[in-house]
Amino acid sequence: VKVKIPFGNKYLDAIFSVPEKKPTYGVILTHGAGGDMNFPHLVSLAAYLASHGVLCLRFTCKGLNVAYRTKAFKAVVEYLKLCDDYKLSGVFLAGRSMGSRAAASVIRQLSQGGDDDDGFIQGLVCLSYPLHRPKLQSKLRDEDLLLITCPVLFVSGSADEMCEKQLLEGVVSKMKAPKKIHWIDKANHGMAVKGRTADDVMEEVNAQVFSWLRENVQLQQK
């Protein structure tokens, strides 16, 4: 289902992947710096989640500025919260690369501003989180991660040139939030692995994301 989400005086293009049965939980998903919501990994994940009963709303926001992308992500969260077609108990924010930075930023801002008192946001999924620029490992983009308290899943390639394995493990050890890292062996920032097809890698990513979502939703229902 294609929708236009109001954002300032513009609209963001978005697509709902809707499960057959009425969903209780949803995932909002966005892309990295280059690309849009039709990036193959996002399309694949959205279809997988919907086929497993999770609503997925993915959107395109072309700005290369994280603050701008964060504002857009917030507008999408608000839209879904007030959306009459789908009454959800909660949502997970997810993004690829720069999109995951924007998602982390939204969660930090909402929790610090006290805007998420109703617990609508259940967690954060970071696909290929860009912890640092390639070869520039002295400056880590970890400020939002260290302030988040909701559950976080990282899915990263062990050979990601923008997320050195030990550095991410170091940041994660300092995080207050419940967290998990799933390393895709030998994958680079684009999740490409020599000797494996893209579909094969996406299947691994999708299954990991879904099982983590399921664990976290069950934990809250107990």
Side-chain angles (χ1 to χ4, degrees), residues 47-127:
Y48 186 94
L49 292 174
S51 71
H52 288 76
V54 179
L55 179 81
C56 191
L57 172 58
R58 60 183 207 273
F59 71 94
T60 295
C61 174
K62 284 294 198 184
L64 284 183
N65 167 321
V66 173
Y68 177 77
R69 294 278 302 260
T70 302
K71 276 192 191 130
F73 212 129
K74 257 191 194 159
V76 178
V77 173
E78 282 308 302
Y79 171 85
L80 188 56
K81 212 176 198 173
L82 303 171
C83 181
D84 288 333
D85 298 342
Y86 312 105
K87 287 282 176 231
L88 299 173
S89 318
V91 2
F92 291 84
L93 305 192
R96 203 197 106 65
S97 191
M98 186 182 189
S100 64
R101 279 184 74 195
S105 200
V106 171
I107 292 180
R108 178 184 61 83
Q109 289 176 17
L110 291 180
S111 61
Q112 283 188 323
D115 295 338
D116 193 45
D117 299 340
D118 52 3
F120 186 61
I121 294 176
Q122 304 277 327
L124 168 66
V125 177
C126 296
L127 306 172

Side-chain angles (χ1 to χ4, degrees), residues 9 56 136 187 222:
N9 55 3
C56 191
L136 191 71
K222 279 177 190 161

Side-chain angles (χ1 to χ4, degrees), residues 127-139:
L127 306 172
S128 296
Y129 187 84
L131 187 59
H132 50 77
R133 293 199 170 119
K135 303 200 172 79
L136 191 71
Q137 300 177 349
S138 53
K139 194 173 178 322

Side-chain angles (χ1 to χ4, degrees), residues 4-218:
K4 295 260 185 206
I5 296 177
F7 175 47
N9 55 3
K10 289 189 284 215
Y11 286 91
L12 299 167
D13 286 316
I15 293 180
F16 275 109
S17 302
V18 186
E20 283 173 22
K21 282 209 289 257
K22 198 165 174 269
T24 4
Y25 289 94
V27 170
I28 301 177
L29 185 57
T30 194
H31 55 90
D36 57 21
M37 65 182 173
N38 296 317
F39 188 74
H41 291 82
L42 303 193
V43 175
S44 169
L45 179 58
Y48 186 94
L49 292 174
S51 71
H52 288 76
V54 179
L55 179 81
C56 191
L57 172 58
R58 60 183 207 273
F59 71 94
T60 295
C61 174
K62 284 294 198 184
L64 284 183
N65 167 321
V66 173
Y68 177 77
R69 294 278 302 260
T70 302
K71 276 192 191 130
F73 212 129
K74 257 191 194 159
V76 178
V77 173
E78 282 308 302
Y79 171 85
L80 188 56
K81 212 176 198 173
L82 303 171
C83 181
D84 288 333
D85 298 342
Y86 312 105
K87 287 282 176 231
L88 299 173
S89 318
V91 2
F92 291 84
L93 305 192
R96 203 197 106 65
S97 191
M98 186 182 189
S100 64
R101 279 184 74 195
S105 200
V106 171
I107 292 180
R108 178 184 61 83
Q109 289 176 17
L110 291 180
S111 61
Q112 283 188 323
D115 295 338
D116 193 45
D117 299 340
D118 52 3
F120 186 61
I121 294 176
Q122 304 277 327
L124 168 66
V125 177
C126 296
L127 306 172
S128 296
Y129 187 84
L131 187 59
H132 50 77
R133 293 199 170 119
K135 303 200 172 79
L136 191 71
Q137 300 177 349
S138 53
K139 194 173 178 322
L140 297 184
R141 300 161 171 159
D142 59 357
E143 53 286 349
D144 290 327
L145 298 176
L146 297 175
L147 293 166
I148 290 174
T149 52
C150 68
V152 184
L153 170 68
F154 294 93
V155 180
S156 277
S158 66
D160 186 335
E161 60 282 10
M162 295 180 74
C163 185
E164 213 272 316
K165 197 167 182 237
Q166 284 168 319
L167 291 176
L168 182 62
E169 283 171 348
V171 169
V172 164
S173 69
K174 288 186 280 195
M175 285 170 64
K176 303 181 193 76
K179 64 269 173 177
K180 180 180 178 184
I181 310 180
H182 178 76
W183 293 108
I184 304 282
D185 195 37
K186 300 188 182 68
N188 65 9
H189 189 65
M191 288 287 178
V193 182
K194 272 188 187 141
R196 284 181 72 181
T197 64
D199 286 345
D200 183 42
V201 175
M202 280 191 269
E203 223 164 86
E204 181 182 342
V205 172
N206 297 349
Q208 284 296 326
V209 171
F210 176 69
S211 72
W212 179 84
L213 294 178
R214 200 174 50 192
E215 275 164 37
N216 279 286
V217 170
Q218 281 171 344

